Amino acid sequence: MSGRLITLEGGEGAGKSTAMAFVAERIAARGVELVQVREPGGTEAGEAIRRVVLQPGHGSLCPEAELLLMFAARAQLVREVIRPALARGAVVLSDRFTDASFAYQGGGRGIDVGRIAELERWVCGLKPDLSLLLDLPVDQGLARARGRGSADRIEAEREEFFERVRDTYRRRAAQEPMRWRVIDAGQPLEAVLAALGAALDAHFEARP
Ligand code: T5A
C-alpha cells in the first residue's frame, strides 16, 4: 500500500471537528487524493453502529459490547474505505482511530490493553503514519463540549473517566514519539491550526 493514514485524536471538546476542515485543506493542497472519514462511522453500517454506541438511551451498554461495536464499525471502515484508498495511494484522514479504543475502552473503561491490541492486529492490521493529538485539560474540554448542548452517552461520563482517557493518550504519544505530534489545544484556535499545519508540513517533508 502506498498511501498514508493520518489520524486526529483527543478528548471531548478538544477541537477535532473544528480543526478537521483546516487539516483536510492543508493535505489536499499537496495535490494528493484525500479521503476523509470519522470513527465510529464512515460507512453505512458504521454510522448505524455510531447511533447505537452514542445514543444516551443506551446507558447500560457494557464495556465489552462498547469495545466490540467500535471494532465492528472499524472492521467495516478498514475494508470498505481505508484499505482501498491506501492501495490507490490516497491520504486517509480519520477523525479518531484505534488509539481512541485504547484511550476510552482501555484507559477509561479499564479493559485489558492486550485484548485491544489483539483486536487491532486482527481487525485492522495497520497503524496510522501520523497521529495528531489535540491535548487539553479535561475540565476545559468538557466545558467546551457541554457548551454545545446535550451530551451523548459517552460525553455524559464522569470527569475521572476523561482524566484516564487523557492520561492514556499522553502515555501512548510519549511511547511512540515518531508517530505522534502533541498539540496544545488550549491555545487560541489560530495557534492550534498553525501548530497542526507545522506538524503536517514536517511529516510530509520527512516522508514526501
Ligand atoms: N469513542 C470513539 C470511543 O469511545 N472509542 C473509539 O474507539 C472511538 C473511535 C465519538 C465518541 O466515541 C468515543 C469518543 C467520543 O466520545 P464524537 O461526536 O466524534 O463521538 O465526539 P468527539 O470526537 O469527542 O468530538 P467532540 O465534538 O466532542 O469534540 P471535538 O470535535 O474535539 O470538539 P469541537 O471541534 O466540536 O469543539 C468543541 C467546541 O470548542 C470550540 C468549538 O468552537 C466548539 O464549540 N473550540 C475552541 N474554543 C476555544 N479555543 C479553541 N482552540 C477551540 N477549538 C474548538
Side-chain angles (χ1 to χ4, degrees):
M1 282 189 284
S2 57
R4 74 186 83 192
L5 173 61
I6 297 178
T7 59
L8 211 47
E9 297 280 359
E12 307 299 303
K16 289 177 294 78
S17 313
T18 308
M20 202 67 185
F22 170 85
V23 172
E25 259 174 46
R26 190 82 170 218
I27 295 170
R30 294 189 168 264
V32 292
E33 183 196 353
L34 174 70
V35 174
Q36 244 179 286
V37 293
R38 70 168 178 181
E39 282 213 330
T43 64
E44 201 181 329
E47 290 295 324
I49 292 171
R50 180 185 178 91
R51 289 191 286 280
V52 172
V53 285
L54 296 186
Q55 198 172 296
H58 295 155
S60 62
L61 206 59
C62 67
E64 292 78 5
E66 185 178 272
L67 175 71
L68 292 170
L69 284 167
M70 296 295 177
F71 270 97
R74 187 167 295 134
Q76 194 64 31
L77 182 66
V78 165
R79 282 153 188 78
E80 204 176 306
V81 182
I82 297 181
R83 281 188 182 281
L86 294 178
R88 290 196 304 275
V91 176
V92 177
L93 173 61
S94 187
D95 184 345
R96 298 194 183 278
F97 197 58
T98 314
D99 292 294
S101 295
F102 283 99
Y104 282 78
Q105 283 67 51
R109 304 280 188 224
I111 294 182
D112 177 62
V113 170
R115 288 190 192 276
I116 304 175
E118 178 56 32
L119 282 169
E120 179 183 38
R121 277 191 296 276
W122 175 48
V123 170
C124 306
L126 56 92
K127 271 202 173 203
D129 298 282
L130 171 67
S131 294
L132 301 163
L133 175 59
L134 290 179
D135 181 54
L136 184 68
V138 169
D139 55 343
Q140 290 178 37
L142 288 178
R144 284 186 192 172
R146 289 172 182 165
R148 283 174 320 196
S150 60
D152 65 38
R153 192 181 62 82
I154 295 178
E155 263 168 18
E157 277 298 331
R158 296 148 67 94
E159 212 158 309
E160 303 88 81
F161 172 89
F162 296 110
E163 291 291 357
R164 295 196 295 276
V165 168
R166 184 183 186 208
D167 285 350
T168 308
Y169 269 132
R170 286 158 64 97
R171 229 175 318 112
R172 290 180 70 74
Q175 281 163 359
E176 273 186 277
M178 297 295 281
R179 171 162 76 91
W180 289 89
R181 289 292 169 272
V182 182
I183 313 285
D184 174 4
Q187 308 174 84
L189 185 58
E190 310 76 66
V192 172
L193 299 184
L196 284 167
L200 285 167
D201 290 350
H203 170 77
F204 279 98
E205 272 153 35
R207 197 190 130 186

